[in-house]
Amino acid sequence: MKQRSVLLSLLSLCLLATIFRPGVGASTQARPEARKIAVRCGRLIDGKSANAIANAVILIEGDRIKEVGDSAAVAGHVPGAKLIDLSSSTVLPGLIDCHAHVLANLKDLSPTRSLRTSSPQGVLWGVHNLQIWLDHGFTALRDAGEDDLAYGQLALRDSINMGLIRGPRMVSAGNFVSVTGGHGDADPLAPDQALPRRPNLADNVDQVGVAVRRDLKYGADWIKLMATGGVSDVLSDFNVQELSEEQMAKAVEIAHRARKKVMAHAEGTEGIKAAVRAGVDTIEHGTMLDEEGAALMAQKGTWLVPTLATFQRLANPDPSTGQTDAETQKTRAILRFQSAAFQRALQHHLKIAFGQDDDPDFLDGEFVALVKGGMKPAEALQAATVNAAELLGLSEQIGALEPGKFADVMAVSGDPLADIRNMEKVVFVMKGGEVIREQLPGEKSHP
Ligand SMILES: [Zn+2]
């Protein structure tokens, strides 16, 4: 009995010490018993330097990186740590996709998909899709907007943060702010069958304010504007500017005042420049970027998320996707501008981050497309790590393997600096110190 009461008082002292420790949240606190893991790396690409480091060890405590260094130097600091041996692999920071659409069946590209998918069904597809992002080593993503008026993507984001479901860290846009009949008008029906007008449509400056404030009210981190027509829809023309510069400037003013950011879908030349002048934070696609536009982006520090591979893939789509012939023709037409525009972006040293904008089964194709388009492999990897973290405003937390950051780690077999196609050979994924995927020897690299 005496022993038991001593134990109890010790326990309550510990509890009190925990409760009254000033300014330290229980969930983020590195307690003495926090699990220690030592990851032995064959090759380490830390996200910051262009070269790989041989024979490094990453020491992880709880959900954070404690130390990164030469195995000889770190070896003495890891008694009691669980060893994860990746000495035959290349270890990188968890990857970040800055242009994802997580809801719905992403193999269904028919124009009526969203009309046949309820919000709950879309969210369940989202839970499924997010596991594919994780499996490919993507431990964070930005949802680039959805047409779900119930904001299923924000429910997914919050559920991941609460630990209800497993998924990458998410930041998310709300609905697509679009003109009537534009790239973000989800109603392709005949005039006498039309759906009730949706709150994401905005045909003047005041209506933009209303649409943006609705997104902010329900918790969007980013505002998504449709600056031009698009490719994957049956209504719009990608050459044409849709939202006016004044409309986009109003969206930027309201979003920035609320400390949120603005991303603009922009394909055609004039729409890209109008969006940049209006002050958006990121240009998505930028497929017809011209010299003047590139110079303007460089001057204003606007990010580019080029999403190259999806256009290349959907120029010859699998017929089972239900993509219409009109969309296939648009894809082929815009592809003729893509390479020259990306070259301009590189020549003007624009800030570029990785974004895929496609079914996550094809995620690795974007690395290949970036390198074929003229980036060095190290630059393509930085686009998906340190640069993407900066775009998301999360540089303090993710995007590099260094002390203090979240232990978001992925590994591939082979050397992606020698051949970027090795990025598809994922063997290990960890998010916040939790092992998500660990491939046994002889296992196939992808499910
Ligand atoms: Zn998109």
Side-chain angles (χ1 to χ4, degrees), residues 99-101 144-145 176 183 224 226 263 265 284-285 307 356-358:
H99 194 121
H101 300 282
F176 307 117
H183 185 46
K224 172 71 174 284
M226 296 307 196
M263 61 195 297
H265 160 100
E284 309 298 303
H285 322 299
T307 72
Q356 194 230 7
D357 197 19
D358 201 352

Side-chain angles (χ1 to χ4, degrees), residues 215-239:
D215 276 353
L216 296 176
K217 172 180 176 180
Y218 293 110
D221 305 302
W222 283 72
I223 298 302
K224 172 71 174 284
L225 304 178
M226 296 307 196
T228 70
V231 173
S232 292
D233 75 81
V234 293
L235 294 172
S236 75
D237 179 345
F238 58 75
N239 295 286

Side-chain angles (χ1 to χ4, degrees), residues 26-30 34-37 59-66 169 397 404-409 430-434:
S27 57
T28 55
Q29 178 190 341
R35 216 157 56 101
K36 284 186 187 171
I37 298 174
L59 180 60
I60 292 156
E61 210 170 278
D63 61 0
R64 299 276 174 170
I65 296 169
K66 179 99 171 130
R169 302 176 197 285
Q397 310 290 336
K405 292 209 163 52
F406 279 120
D408 291 1
V409 184
M430 169 185 276
K431 180 193 163 199
E434 182 197 351

